[in-house]
Amino acid sequence: AILLGLTCLLWITYHRWRESSKKQKELESIITSISPDVLMVVDRDRNIITCNTSVKKLFGYEVSEVINQKTDLLYYDRRSGPSYKHEIYDALERVGFHVGEVTGKKKNGDIIPLEVITAKLTGREGAVLLLRDISDKKHAVDSVKNAYSQIMQIFNTSAEGIRVIDADFNVLIINDTFKMLTSVGTSEMAGKKCYEVFHSHLCHTPNCPMTKILEGEKRVEYDTCFEGKEGVRIPCIVTATPFG
């Protein structure tokens, strides 16, 4: 009877363990399918204690290949000196987490940009890490930078002098042709009103092109003379249009 009771107890325990293990795998499968982010727990020496199966999708490693390995297997950080580590630990103590960007290393040698969110592990030494591929984000940022560079190249190589003015008549930017035609540099324009540096007889009148644009006109064109440095008068054809 005792042997039968022990056998039943072992069977019940085994059955519960199987159910628990099954539920854990199902939960991990759901988490992995929802998010490709790698979630892992590391000890104080950055050894990987456990991680989800997303490590296979993101890095090409099986879970068994990364357990007990250093996080260096998956990523490295050029800022990983003492001062940067102190920044991480300080953030963990103050707010409980730290967000940074590092360089990921796939199993096949490919390099990917990663965002790493480090959270303090409650009740024990170590941390929880979330690793996220930000390749698309980096690509988008690079695309914006390239587009801006091309726009500025077109802006500065235009044969016409151009200056951009905001609704308060502040000069925001001038192109290289404008500088050449007027002998007015960027530093002289910085923080100035358009009429303070390079003005005409239309300034402060109802016929001011900026005033007309602000009143809703889509295009203003006229002939005038602007007064440049040392009172030199420069005849111009001025075209004003709304921007933005």
Side-chain angles (χ1 to χ4, degrees):
I2 295 175
L3 181 59
L4 180 60
L6 287 174
T7 302
C8 290
L9 180 62
L10 286 172
W11 173 252
I12 292 170
T13 303
Y14 172 70
H15 182 70
R16 287 177 177 174
W17 175 81
R18 282 191 62 186
E19 287 299 314
S20 175
S21 179
K22 182 181 178 182
K23 288 179 181 179
Q24 183 176 347
K25 288 181 179 179
E26 288 176 351
L27 179 61
E28 185 174 302
S29 177
I30 292 171
I31 292 173
T32 301
S33 64
I34 292 174
S35 172
D37 300 337
V38 174
L39 186 66
M40 62 175 62
V41 176
V42 300
D43 64 20
R44 61 178 300 176
D45 296 318
R46 311 295 286 182
N47 297 305
I48 301 169
I49 299 172
T50 184
C51 75
N52 65 349
T53 54
S54 291
V55 73
K56 173 73 173 179
K57 290 182 179 179
L58 186 55
F59 294 99
Y61 289 103
E62 299 292 343
V63 172
S64 58
E65 294 180 279
V66 301
I67 299 300
N68 297 323
Q69 298 292 324
K70 297 282 188 184
T71 55
D72 295 348
L73 176 70
L74 304 179
Y75 70 85
Y76 61 92
D77 190 343
R78 294 187 179 90
R79 303 169 299 172
S80 58
S83 60
Y84 184 60
K85 288 181 179 179
H86 177 75
E87 176 189 324
I88 295 177
Y89 296 143
D90 182 57
L92 291 180
E93 289 300 322
R94 284 187 298 105
V95 296
F97 70 94
H98 176 271
V99 181
E101 292 185 9
V102 298
T103 302
K105 302 179 293 184
K106 290 191 175 186
K107 187 176 182 179
N108 64 6
D110 289 348
I111 300 299
I112 54 172
L114 294 175
E115 179 179 70
V116 178
I117 302 174
T118 306
K120 192 173 182 180
L121 193 58
T122 306
R124 58 186 294 186
E125 293 186 344
V128 178
L129 304 181
L130 186 143
L131 310 183
R132 175 172 296 158
D133 184 356
I134 54 173
S135 299
D136 290 342
K137 175 183 173 182
K138 287 289 188 183
H139 179 70
V141 171
D142 290 342
S143 296
V144 171
K145 287 181 178 178
N146 290 335
Y148 176 78
S149 177
Q150 291 174 11
I151 290 171
M152 289 307 297
Q153 184 175 7
I154 294 170
F155 179 73
N156 281 315
T157 55
S158 171
E160 298 177 335
I162 304 171
R163 61 177 174 175
V164 179
I165 304 167
D166 68 15
D168 294 319
F169 297 83
N170 299 304
V171 179
L172 301 180
I173 188 172
I174 60 177
N175 72 346
D176 291 343
T177 305
F178 190 93
K179 297 174 191 177
M180 181 187 69
L181 292 175
T182 63
S183 300
V184 177
T186 302
S187 59
E188 295 172 275
M189 279 283 186
K192 299 290 182 65
K193 303 291 186 182
C194 57
Y195 50 77
E196 290 180 322
V197 181
F198 195 65
H199 58 276
S200 78
H201 68 284
L202 297 178
C203 294
H204 305 294
T205 73
N207 292 320
C208 166
M210 268 299 296
T211 299
K212 287 183 173 293
I213 292 297
L214 292 174
E215 288 174 348
E217 294 197 28
K218 299 302 181 184
R219 182 182 177 88
V220 179
E221 187 169 307
Y222 62 96
D223 295 343
T224 187
C225 280
F226 279 94
E227 188 173 321
K229 283 186 175 181
E230 299 176 357
V232 176
R233 295 180 65 80
I234 304 172
C236 299
I237 298 174
V238 176
T239 302
T241 57
F243 180 79

